[in-house]
Amino acid sequence: QESGCMSEIMHGSVDVRGLYAPLYMAGTGGSALGSSVVVAHNAGLSAFSRCEEEWAPQSVAQLHLLGKTISFTVDLSQVGCACNFAVYLISSPAYDTSARYSRGTDRGGQPPYYCDANKVGGQWCPEIDIMEANNHAFQATLHRCDAPRHRHYDYCDRGGCAQNTREKSGAYGPGSEHTIDTMRPFDVETEFLSKAGVLSGMRTTLRQRGERVVLEHSDCNEGYLAKLTD
């Protein structure tokens, strides 16, 4: 960690291919070093573009992924039923109705400036769940919101447009009989497809041992996707 960072907030940095600088991981119950991130049970980490001594909204990492792909390798062998390991994108930091950064007043354990499409921390904003998973099921979901007023969101689609490996028999689960054996690490690749500068699709591909499972999200209509472009 860089000098001046509070260890209670920052828990190391991770190098990401395609980015010119590391991402700094803030939160509790986890660590980051080199190209690896470890998250403990009932914990969470947020990505920052700079090493800060406190939760600084202007330093929340902003990933520009339209027309690009994000990929990583994950090990869910210890993440069983009733657990949910989530990797997701949100339009943080949150804003109030005057377009000012909003720390939130009823965050329910979430960090300052947090928001999502289920108003978990008391504030709404668009959300893309790259993965919500354990070693029995994997789901990816897009959640659009109504148009913001002064960057402030009043309502989002809680359920979202989702696709789950349970829809594909034998595709995913513990054991070598599955295409993706979740007792072993596997790769997650998410493509953000674009058309004329607008989000037109999302494709999730799980890879392992030369095999793959693809979630096309073909049920998400273009109008729904377009609202997630920003």
Side-chain angles (χ1 to χ4, degrees):
Q1 298 181 40
E2 292 181 9
S3 175
C5 281
M6 295 174 60
S7 60
E8 294 86 356
I9 297 173
M10 289 290 170
H11 296 272
S13 63
V14 59
D15 298 318
V16 181
R17 282 183 295 176
L19 295 182
Y20 294 108
L23 294 177
Y24 296 92
M25 308 308 293
T28 59
S31 63
L33 180 65
S35 60
S36 298
V37 177
V38 176
V39 181
H41 182 249
N42 280 338
L45 295 174
S46 301
F48 277 58
S49 59
R50 292 196 295 267
C51 192
E52 299 280 6
E53 295 185 358
E54 59 184 14
W55 288 88
Q58 68 274 12
S59 294
V60 174
Q62 305 297 320
L63 304 180
H64 303 286
L65 296 171
L66 186 63
K68 299 179 181 179
T69 300
I70 185 170
S71 62
F72 53 87
T73 301
V74 65
D75 183 350
L76 298 180
S77 58
Q78 302 302 309
V79 185
C81 285
C83 290
N84 174 18
F85 180 77
V87 177
Y88 58 102
L89 308 171
I90 54 175
S91 294
S92 176
Y95 290 86
D96 64 19
T97 55
S98 299
R100 294 174 299 199
Y101 292 130
S102 174
R103 292 179 61 91
T105 57
D106 185 20
R107 299 196 304 268
Q110 297 298 335
Y113 311 105
Y114 181 85
C115 58
D116 67 21
N118 275 276
K119 205 179 181 182
V120 171
Q123 302 186 101
W124 298 101
C125 69
E127 174 182 348
I128 296 179
D129 300 317
I130 292 176
M131 64 175 283
E132 292 181 293
N134 54 40
N135 54 35
H136 284 77
F138 181 109
Q139 180 166 300
T141 310
L142 302 103
H143 300 266
R144 70 157 185 83
C145 298
D146 291 347
R149 296 181 299 111
H150 307 296
R151 307 185 76 172
H152 174 81
Y153 292 92
D154 290 315
Y155 180 76
C156 301
D157 179 14
R158 290 178 182 267
C161 184
Q163 192 166 1
N164 195 302
T165 54
R166 289 182 177 177
E167 301 166 11
K168 299 176 178 288
S169 178
Y172 182 97
S176 58
E177 68 273 20
H178 297 91
T179 305
I180 303 296
D181 176 5
T182 54
M183 292 295 98
R184 300 175 180 272
F186 60 93
D187 299 331
V188 180
E189 178 184 280
T190 305
E191 301 171 75
F192 298 92
L193 310 176
S194 66
K195 183 189 299 181
V198 174
L199 182 67
S200 60
M202 186 173 87
R203 182 185 299 119
T204 303
T205 305
L206 312 181
R207 301 182 190 273
Q208 188 186 66
R209 301 172 298 181
E211 302 291 336
R212 66 177 187 169
V213 171
V214 181
L215 306 178
E216 295 281 0
H217 305 285
S218 55
D219 290 338
C220 305
N221 66 59
E222 290 190 359
Y224 191 101
L225 293 165
K227 291 185 177 181
L228 285 159
T229 297
D230 295 334

